[in-house]
Amino acid sequence: MSCERGSGPMLHGRERELARLSGLAADVRAGGREVLTLRGEPGIGLSALLDRVALERMPVIRGRGVRQEANLELAGLHRILGIEAGADRLRTGTRVAALLAERARDTGLLVLVDDAQWIDDSTADALLFAARRTVGAGVGLIFAVADTPVRPRRDRLGSSTVLGGGLPRMRLGRLGEAEAGRIVDDHVAELPPRVRAHLVEIAGGNPGALVALTLALTAEQRAGRLVSPWAPLESIAVSPPPVSAGTRAVLAILAVLGTADLTEIMPVAARIGGSMANLAEAERAALVTVTGTTVAFGHPLARIAAYAAAPLAVRAAAHLAVAEGSDSRKDTLGWHRATAALAPEEATAAVLAISAGDLGAEEAADALQRAAELTPDPDRRAVRLGLAAAAAREAGQRTRAGALVYESHLPAMAWPAARAVVEGLEEVRLRVLAGQCVPARAQAERLARDCRRGELYGRLPEVLEVIAACHIGAGRYRDADTCAREGLSWAARSGDGVGAARLSAVRAWVAAVTGGEVPPGTGEDGSSPGAGAAAPWEEDEGSFGAEAAALWEWARAAGYAASGEWERVLERPLPDGVLAVLAAPDHVDAAVRLGDRAGAIAVSLRLEKAATLIGAPWADTLVTRSRMLIAGGSAEPPPREGHPFDRSRAALSYGELLRKARRRGEARPWLTEALECFERLGAAPWAARAAAELAACGSPASTAARGTGSGDDVVARAGLTPQELRIVRLAARGAVNREIAVTLALSPRTVGFHLYRAFRKLGVSTRVELAGLILPDHL
């Protein structure tokens, strides 16, 4: 199977090469004649680049060389162009030139030759001759030449040395870690980080090797377990290297080491009977390169083949020889002994179990599980399995952790390395509660780095949720959404349904405030995903699940408040605890607007009680806003404290109260302040409402603040439908519902319904206020 095919994953990190090839194609379309040789090791993506070039807007002739036909006269010409030629090379070249010129007429032509190292001399001569002789038409000739230790009897392409460099050439190098990681992601979604990093390391930046390794992953490896650090090498099916058995054993040692110095590998090889003669044989076969005293495989697939094709006994002997004869890799010596063990060995198991304390959670889970497999004593084995389960859970591998707990027959254990993160999170939450969002975020980001460094991926959703809360408190909504999205990806990897529900609720709140699209997880009416299915927070029982449900209620109520659907705000249950302080002002606002003063007072008292326990300025701001809403026109000005969004909501509410009390001059500064802050935050629905209030005050500042005199921004932020906009325009000009109905061929009742929805979106309550808005005339 070829690993170079396709125009998708293989093109990561090839922007420079693609730009050059695109420029070559453009020159050919303009009538130019271009010849280029692409060079690179097998699997580097030569065919993928040709696939992309073949998509250019021009005719393409595509062919490839065949090794078995490398020395057959004109065999390649027949394969590529489908023509048979005689012995006269001039006549053959002229015939090919005429054919290419005909195909290239008006649009240009690209001739792409894959595996060009295997085309015969006569074919190369004819193609190059034709490329030079085409007149009045553009022809591009691109040869893709893969490096190979096996050469045909000639090494020249026409009159130019293909392998030596007679033609213009472009060499494809290996990919960097980031690009290689994206190729892995294309083939295996959400692979555990340690397994992903290991594949990238083994493949050495070769795309073909990466694809081969991802296809060979076992279900256990996809779930997160590496039986040993060499596990991906063990599971791939390849042909054995074409060398003697002794040389294969030496190659197995080098595969274990990866790259080694001669002074390191030769004493280790001597333990299993290896010698310099074996190393020389491997070098002659072009499997390894020796640079100075450094020995390395010439290609990642050569290393994979050397290890995977070695018999189990040879691999075990190689690992044991490395463990006993090498002191340069102390961190893996325990793994070498464990990989070499073919039966339970307590001494080896103990070394591996002790080393787990210094490892990240992912690697520790692997080490402890392997140690348990090598442990003869059943009780000690159960304890090690329990510790492996604890490490796996902290690494976000919940399914694996459950299986290990079941196998150990012991209660779930705690992983010591996670204790510092848990304690740190409690401290961060207290800071957030006190309104110290900036230092809290810095501390939480340090915890996130600690989680990544210690492979505590199961804790990342929780930490990232706290960071998102810090961003929300500071009014950085885009950062909060980005952070919550990352947390959701980690929650999905670990199967953390409750964490996913909480983070989805955070994203839903941000979407409600900014007027963005509500992310997956809620229905059109704000219901939980999957009609008839359990809500995401019902996966686990207890307070954590209850908090997830409360977050969703807070987010839904915020969405209804932003759209002015006050009846639906009151339909949502008011959460308890801290979330009651956040959600209660919207309930008070809704009750006041709907004339339920008693209900508003009851919610406000509940808010004050919860805010007293918090004792933070941001909570006091929310209490003040609720009292102000209940007091109406007699309210005192709100304090300019608290989080930016809460301050702006208080300023908007106060300005609205002043405007309704016909104190428009006093209202304008408050409304202008609210509008400017909402626009800085990106809170589009609330900015539209503040702009509408300013317009109702007859303030020219509203137009300046929006930066347009057409009213487009207000309407766009309010989200009016075209039908609602037509009706609003007519109503703003003084038409009554019946007149609008006749004009638009609607019923008066339908007109009333649309006006009701439009008024809520625009934040107005009368036609007089509506007339103060500047509405666009193009719809």
Side-chain angles (χ1 to χ4, degrees), residues 254-326:
L254 183 59
V256 169
L257 294 172
T259 300
D261 193 89
L262 281 172
T263 58
E264 179 182 13
I265 189 173
M266 293 319 299
V268 175
R271 291 176 175 271
I272 58 173
S275 65
M276 286 295 294
N278 297 126
L279 191 60
E281 182 185 0
E283 188 179 17
R284 286 195 302 272
L287 295 172
V288 301
T289 59
V290 181
T291 306
T293 61
T294 302
V295 186
F297 283 100
H299 192 281
L301 290 176
R303 180 187 179 191
I304 293 170
Y307 189 87
L312 178 61
V314 173
R315 289 208 301 264
H319 282 289
L320 191 60
V322 170
E324 294 177 349
S326 174

Side-chain angles (χ1 to χ4, degrees), residues 145-157:
V145 179
D147 299 335
T148 172
V150 181
R151 307 282 174 82
R153 287 200 298 268
R154 53 97 188 117
D155 63 357
R156 298 180 66 82
L157 178 61

Side-chain angles (χ1 to χ4, degrees), residues 65-72 75 79 118-119 152-153:
V66 177
R67 177 178 176 180
Q68 293 80 358
E69 300 177 0
N71 297 299
L72 295 178
R79 175 177 289 274
W118 303 121
I119 64 171
R153 287 200 298 268

